[in-house]
Amino acid sequence: MTARERFLCEAIELAYANVAKGGRPFGAVVVRDGEVIATGVNEVVATHDPTAHAELLALRAAGRRLGSANLQGCTVYASGHPCPMCLAAMRLSGVGAVVYAYSNEDAAPYGLSTAAIYADLARPFAEQSMTIGHDPIRLDGRPDLYATWHQRQERQESRGGG
């Protein structure tokens, strides 16, 4: 068995264990340099948190373990096709690869596919099912929010705060 297969099997076993506890059939494993850094299972049912997906919880745990939100060099192994939210989080965190076992096609008969969300997100904002609006409000008398943040970052870096 290859390492890739071993980590995918671990993600699937996590998903089976989660189903046995009444959760949804999703598990994820974050790996760096051949070592499991963190794992997660879907906790949406248990927590009533719509963002408590296996991949997101595994990324959060990996960040805590590594002491950094930068997960470059990591691979995520997931039992199922990651949803757009989880895939975006992986990209934002610097994850270099994701591998999954069950496809959206496998999930569709059970109402677990996210293919429709992917299709909707591929459309222009004006044509998507969710209203998306930009209203460029600024607070009077306050400096630009992003410039304020940038200046603070530069001050921290100049003090060696990284």
Side-chain angles (χ1 to χ4, degrees):
M1 176 181 293
T2 68
R4 178 177 166 133
E5 292 168 334
R6 188 178 79 232
F7 295 132
L8 276 175
C9 287
E10 187 171 340
I12 294 167
E13 286 295 345
L14 287 167
Y16 272 111
N18 201 45
V19 167
K21 294 179 192 174
R24 295 174 57 120
F26 301 105
V29 178
V30 179
V31 175
R32 186 169 74 179
D33 298 327
E35 177 189 356
V36 174
I37 302 298
T39 64
V41 296
N42 185 294
E43 295 182 4
V44 170
V45 172
T47 63
H48 309 288
D49 176 352
T51 69
H53 290 201
E55 298 90 339
L56 287 186
L57 296 179
L59 292 176
R60 291 171 188 160
R64 285 191 301 272
R65 175 154 180 215
L66 296 173
S68 174
N70 183 341
L71 301 181
Q72 287 182 350
C74 291
T75 298
V76 174
Y77 294 88
S79 61
H81 189 291
C83 75
M85 174 181 64
C86 292
L87 196 59
M90 288 179 221
R91 288 193 171 200
L92 287 168
S93 68
V95 165
V98 60
V99 182
Y100 58 92
Y102 285 79
S103 69
N104 270 327
E105 291 77 19
D106 296 326
Y110 307 100
L112 298 171
S113 174
T114 57
I117 298 170
Y118 274 103
D120 193 41
L121 288 172
R123 299 166 60 165
F125 281 175
E127 297 175 18
Q128 290 186 23
S129 61
M130 181 176 72
T131 302
I132 302 169
H134 172 234
D135 197 347
I137 298 286
R138 303 295 186 265
L139 299 182
D140 289 338
R142 297 285 282 170
D144 181 76
L145 176 63
Y146 291 170
T148 301
W149 172 83
H150 185 71
Q151 290 167 357
R152 183 176 174 86
Q153 293 299 113
E154 286 179 332
R155 282 194 303 270
Q156 286 177 334
E157 288 173 13
S158 70
R159 288 187 217 130

